[in-house]
Amino acid sequence: MKPYSIVRRLIGMVLVVELAAALCVTTAAFLYERHTHFRAFDVLLRGRADSILGAVQDAEDPGDNVMLDGSQLSAPPDDVYEVRDDSGRLVGRSENWTGLGSVEKLDRGGHRHGHGPDGEEHFGANLRGRHYGMIRISGYRVVDPGEKGGGVKRTVSIVYGAQMDRVWDAVLQSVSFYAVSSVVVMALTALLMLWLLHRGLRPLLELAGAASRVTVNAWEFEPPPTAQATRELAPLTEAMQAVLRRLREAFEEQQRFVGDAAHELKTGVALVKSSLQLLGMKPRSQTEYIAGLERALGDCERMEAMVAQMLTLARIEQAPLQGKAAVAEGISLLREVIDELAMMAELKQVRIELDEGSANTVTQQAIAIEPEQFKLFCRNVLMNAIQHSASGSEVRVQVREEESSAIFEFQDHGDGIGETELPYVFERFSRGDPSRSRHSGGTGLGLAICKAIVVRARGGIKIESKIGVGTCVSVRIPMASGVAEMLGD
Amino acid sequence: MRVLVVEDETRLAENIAAAFREGPGYAVDCVEDGETGAALAAERCYDLIVLDLMLPKMDGASVLKRMRSGAVNTPVLILTARSETVSKINLLNAGADDYLSKPFDLGELLARAKALIRRGKGAAHPTLREGDIEVNTLEQTVTLAGQPVVLSRMEYRILEYLMHRPRAVVSKQELLEHLYDYNWEHHSNVIEVHVSNLRKRIGGQDRIETLRGRGYRLLLPGGRTA
């Protein structure tokens, strides 16, 4: 997946928003500027037309006509104008007057065009390839006002035009000012945000730095104060602390196991080695040699069993948790194991009783566990029970169903386990009571293997014991149907 | 000499005990847990303690600490499966005298045990020489004025113990405690026989004096005066 930067994304988003704002402002500015400039342009046209009207003079001729006194005019050279009297006679025009050309209606906001209130008319014209804004006004000039009757009133019509390009230039200039300043503001914002975000994200970087210093040899993870003071980082720091704590516990547990396993193996090797060296310390009789070799062989076999159990435990613990649960016919497997152990039980004069009545309800249902592992589990628990049972007593196995789980209970009437050792019996190499583990040839791994099997099967195991009364191991294994439901199959 | 072996692996403890009995001929007591080990060590009747580190009830390091804080000065040889230097340093600093990493060599264990016992009694060399008596603790041979003397196993052990403490009064109980394992009381009468046999072989009342009600004393005519 392509990595993306939060900083870049945030800056991009802000810039897009700013761009939209800038476009709105520029458009509004354009509309407003156009309005004001053209209004000013109209006023200017009107003023200039009025000044033309002011220049219309009595021609002092017999027909009481009017004339345009060009000497008083100061119209810009690009402007055009024409003055006619009411009879259509040309009174005067600018030198560059070429006729009105094509007359067009003005469309520039449409606030006022056409006839004004006092007879003025605005329109556009295309003169010599340029746009002109034109105004036509009517006015009158009184010829010889001193005469009797107030003189003769001469109406003149004035057409005045000025180039509109200038106005457009002015409008565009101010609009481009807005546009350019928006772009400058956006660039500055981008830089400022880059700086601010880097500054704002520093706690995250410091947190990452602190996290990267955690190794298997240095588990201490102290979130930097800046990260602790940041509310948004609190879930992350808490999650990291929790993860590290769990990892550390698991790692230390593993290390403890490796250490214990090394101790057991070294002790085993020391035992075999010392047995053989003891045999070689001095010349011995043949029977002594044979007895010594048998002892050494027994030591080897014990070590072999221990290694096998360690490997079994590792295999069970490290097998990936399967998505689809394995299925086993619990009761029939349990019967198989009981048959296997019949000889051993007979030797110890112990009876194994499977409570058939309670078994019936569960017989038909499969439990969610690997069949071989379930057999190993039953074998371990039953062998423990037989080994610690008083001779002549019985080991009772009961089965029942509870909340879509099968419950197996193994009750023996043996020597029991002391209260202080009970919490540790499931630990690997548990050696709470040496007389239990060492003398019976145990390795301290049997119950650890049992627990690992049950945990794999998403079940639970508990043990209750009373010294001199007996021990009850109770295990809960989910039914296959229940697990299938849980997994959403 | 009497050795206490604190080791929870009973077969290994059996082998070590057999090696001590067959080799230098020490009396050996074996215990399986730390608490019993610490309690027995406090009896001060041992010449050496062989201590495993991983023990039920109380670990080896705690046993060592309790012994040393209780002023038990018996030499301690640690058997450890851990081979890190730090743990060795910590053990030696806590009052251990020597250590062996498992799996160890039985011969090396015996040699180190002998050296520790010797040192614990203030002798640097394996050959003990007092006056004209010379005891080679490695070969377990005795010469009297250059002439080899043949001794029984028990007689040799009594002489070796007395040689470590010349001119001191050694009570009968001390002798019993250091030469026999925990059921020494059964040997109480036998020891008098062994002492008297030993006396005959190395030159009579002049050599080993019996102080009635107090014990025995090794005398050395012609030797250095104390």
Side-chain angles (χ1 to χ4, degrees):
Chain A
M1 204 180 84
K2 202 180 152 203
Y4 81 83
S5 154
I6 291 183
V7 173
R8 270 191 219 160
R9 181 169 275 210
L10 281 177
I11 291 179
M13 270 156 54
V14 168
L15 288 186
V16 165
V17 169
E18 274 196 346
L19 185 66
L23 285 177
C24 289
V25 166
T26 311
T27 310
F30 171 73
L31 293 174
Y32 177 73
E33 289 290 326
R34 195 179 68 174
H35 175 81
T36 50
H37 275 87
F38 276 102
R39 199 184 177 102
F41 180 67
D42 286 348
V43 171
L44 179 108
L45 273 184
R46 174 73 204 251
R48 292 212 179 140
D50 282 347
S51 70
I52 297 288
L53 181 61
V56 172
Q57 300 288 325
D58 184 357
E60 306 284 358
D61 64 349
D64 285 339
N65 287 320
V66 288
M67 59 163 288
L68 192 63
D69 182 5
S71 66
Q72 288 176 29
L73 279 174
S74 59
D78 288 342
D79 291 5
V80 293
Y81 56 88
E82 187 186 54
V83 185
R84 286 175 186 274
D85 65 8
D86 42 2
S87 61
R89 191 182 64 89
L90 178 69
V91 178
R93 59 161 63 135
S94 60
E95 285 164 10
N96 49 9
W97 179 264
T98 56
L100 274 179
S102 60
V103 173
E104 55 196 32
K105 282 194 163 185
L106 282 179
D107 184 19
R108 52 177 199 224
H111 66 287
R112 50 182 280 273
H113 88 93
H115 296 277
D118 47 356
E120 63 182 67
E121 189 196 347
H122 291 266
F123 58 96
N126 206 335
L127 303 178
R128 301 188 299 275
R130 287 178 182 277
H131 286 287
Y132 274 74
M134 311 293 286
I135 186 169
R136 187 197 308 277
I137 59 167
S138 304
Y140 58 86
R141 186 53 76 211
V142 177
V143 180
D144 298 337
E147 286 186 5
K148 194 170 176 246
V152 183
K153 214 172 167 187
R154 290 281 180 209
T155 311
V156 289
S157 140
I158 298 163
V159 177
Y160 194 97
Q163 280 188 25
M164 279 207 301
D165 297 0
R166 301 244 172 93
V167 186
W168 280 114
D169 283 350
V171 170
L172 291 179
Q173 212 173 342
S174 46
V175 168
S176 63
F177 169 75
Y178 282 108
V180 167
S181 20
S182 296
V183 168
V184 170
V185 166
M186 274 165 67
L188 286 178
T189 314
L191 290 174
L192 189 69
M193 272 195 66
L194 198 64
W195 181 69
L196 281 177
L197 282 173
H198 272 295
R199 209 180 129 93
L201 287 176
R202 197 179 299 149
L204 191 62
L205 294 175
E206 285 175 8
L207 183 63
S212 69
R213 282 191 290 277
V214 175
T215 66
V216 290
N217 296 317
W219 286 101
E220 277 67 36
F221 170 66
E222 185 59 41
T226 49
Q228 277 177 319
T230 312
R231 194 178 304 149
E232 284 79 3
L233 287 180
L236 185 61
T237 41
E238 278 161 21
M240 282 168 74
Q241 280 174 315
V243 164
L244 278 174
R245 195 170 52 243
R246 284 197 297 272
L247 270 181
R248 181 181 189 169
E249 280 166 7
F251 186 79
E252 283 173 351
E253 165 76 19
Q254 206 65 28
Q255 269 193 328
R256 199 159 40 241
F257 174 65
V258 170
D260 289 350
H263 179 266
E264 294 296 321
L265 287 176
K266 283 178 175 176
T267 304
V269 173
L271 172 54
V272 173
K273 193 171 167 184
S274 65
S275 293
L276 293 174
Q277 283 181 334
L278 184 66
L279 209 55
M281 262 176 70
K282 63 175 189 190
R284 292 167 198 275
S285 71
Q286 200 179 353
T287 41
E288 275 180 327
Y289 277 127
I290 289 171
L293 282 176
E294 270 171 5
R295 273 200 300 276
L297 200 61
D299 298 337
C300 276
E301 277 163 4
R302 266 196 50 198
M303 216 171 117
E304 200 182 329
M306 189 178 67
V307 170
Q309 286 209 316
M310 273 159 64
L311 291 177
T312 305
L313 185 59
R315 202 183 60 234
I316 292 168
E317 283 192 335
Q318 282 168 13
L321 207 62
Q322 283 170 339
K324 208 172 168 77
V327 169
E329 299 287 332
I331 293 297
S332 56
L333 291 175
L334 182 59
R335 285 210 183 92
E336 273 179 47
V337 175
I338 291 174
D339 287 345
E340 272 174 38
L341 296 175
M343 280 282 275
M344 184 183 166
E346 215 169 287
L347 271 176
K348 280 275 291 185
Q349 292 181 307
V350 174
R351 282 192 319 283
I352 305 178
E353 284 286 328
L354 174 62
D355 196 332
E356 291 284 347
S358 68
N360 277 339
T361 51
V362 193
T363 319
Q364 309 306 324
Q365 295 213 44
I367 51 173
I369 193 168
E370 200 74 49
E372 274 312 307
Q373 292 191 1
F374 182 67
K375 279 176 81 175
L376 179 61
F377 170 84
C378 293
R379 204 175 295 134
N380 278 351
V381 172
L382 281 173
M383 270 168 68
N384 263 355
I386 293 169
Q387 266 166 2
H388 298 291
S389 276
S391 82
S393 67
E394 71 167 22
V395 174
R396 206 169 173 75
V397 185
Q398 279 192 314
V399 190
R400 64 173 194 277
E401 194 187 336
E402 216 179 85
E403 292 168 3
S404 70
S405 289
I407 313 280
F408 296 82
E409 272 182 4
F410 303 83
Q411 171 76 53
D412 70 43
H413 301 282
D415 32 17
I417 306 167
E419 241 174 78
T420 47
E421 292 128 37
L422 208 53
Y424 305 108
V425 290
F426 291 120
E427 282 186 12
R428 293 176 281 204
F429 300 117
S430 73
R431 34 167 80 221
D433 181 358
S435 65
R436 264 183 96 87
S437 57
R438 294 288 182 193
H439 289 184
S440 54
T443 55
L445 284 175
L447 280 175
I449 290 175
C450 286
K451 185 169 186 187
I453 291 173
V454 173
V455 167
R456 279 277 134 181
R458 303 180 176 85
I461 187 169
K462 62 181 180 201
I463 187 162
E464 284 163 12
S465 188
K466 247 188 184 148
I467 290 274
V469 176
T471 305
C472 180
V473 177
S474 155
V475 63
R476 181 181 56 77
I477 296 168
M479 297 290 192
S481 52
V483 172
E485 260 171 45
M486 195 180 74
L487 292 173
D489 284 353
Chain B
M1 301 299 148
R2 187 167 170 195
V3 180
L4 176 66
V5 177
V6 190
E7 163 69 62
D8 65 331
E9 173 58 64
T10 43
R11 281 283 301 123
L12 186 59
E14 274 170 26
N15 282 349
I16 293 172
F20 275 131
R21 289 187 188 115
E22 287 184 10
Y26 298 155
V28 186
D29 291 334
C30 295
V31 292
E32 290 167 13
D33 67 90
E35 264 177 25
T36 321
L40 279 181
E43 300 284 322
R44 297 173 202 229
C45 53
Y46 295 100
D47 302 290
L48 175 71
I49 294 169
V50 177
L51 186 62
D52 184 27
L53 276 190
M54 285 184 114
L55 292 168
K57 291 183 185 168
M58 184 193 272
D59 67 8
S62 308
V63 174
L64 185 64
K65 274 181 201 126
R66 185 191 279 195
M67 276 174 57
R68 293 308 185 220
S69 63
V72 176
N73 297 322
T74 317
V76 172
L77 172 66
I78 300 277
L79 294 182
T80 167
R82 304 233 185 281
S83 48
E84 306 96 67
T85 317
V86 179
S87 99
K88 289 174 184 169
I89 291 172
N90 287 341
L91 284 171
L92 291 175
N93 283 342
D97 297 273
D98 202 354
Y99 64 84
L100 266 181
S101 296
K102 285 182 187 174
F104 52 83
D105 190 282
L106 211 51
E108 188 180 354
L109 175 69
L110 292 184
R112 284 181 190 259
K114 283 183 212 168
L116 283 176
I117 292 174
R118 202 166 65 222
R119 280 284 179 190
K121 312 231 172 275
H125 199 271
T127 305
L128 306 171
R129 199 175 288 116
E130 292 293 343
D132 53 356
I133 305 179
E134 201 175 285
V135 176
N136 185 329
T137 57
L138 292 185
E139 295 170 9
Q140 301 195 356
T141 54
V142 179
T143 55
L144 180 62
Q147 295 299 309
V149 181
V150 181
L151 295 179
S152 80
R153 201 167 178 76
M154 207 58 219
E155 288 157 13
Y156 168 79
R157 290 176 63 195
I158 294 168
L159 179 63
E160 184 187 339
Y161 191 82
L162 291 175
M163 284 289 278
H164 279 299
R165 311 192 54 190
R167 287 175 297 278
V169 178
V170 177
S171 72
K172 189 166 124 188
Q173 181 170 340
E174 184 183 342
L175 213 47
L176 279 164
E177 278 178 353
H178 284 265
L179 299 183
Y180 291 96
D181 46 25
Y182 61 91
N183 47 2
W184 53 266
E185 273 149 346
H186 306 294
H187 302 272
S188 163
N189 298 321
V190 187
I191 195 118
E192 289 170 17
V193 180
H194 285 305
V195 172
S196 113
N197 286 345
L198 175 64
R199 186 182 287 135
K200 279 179 206 148
R201 293 187 205 245
I202 61 169
Q205 196 68 35
D206 306 348
R207 299 289 181 172
I208 299 174
E209 184 184 12
T210 303
L211 303 157
R212 193 152 301 277
R214 285 169 66 199
Y216 305 103
R217 179 156 66 173
L218 187 66
L219 297 170
L220 298 162
R224 293 166 296 170
T225 50

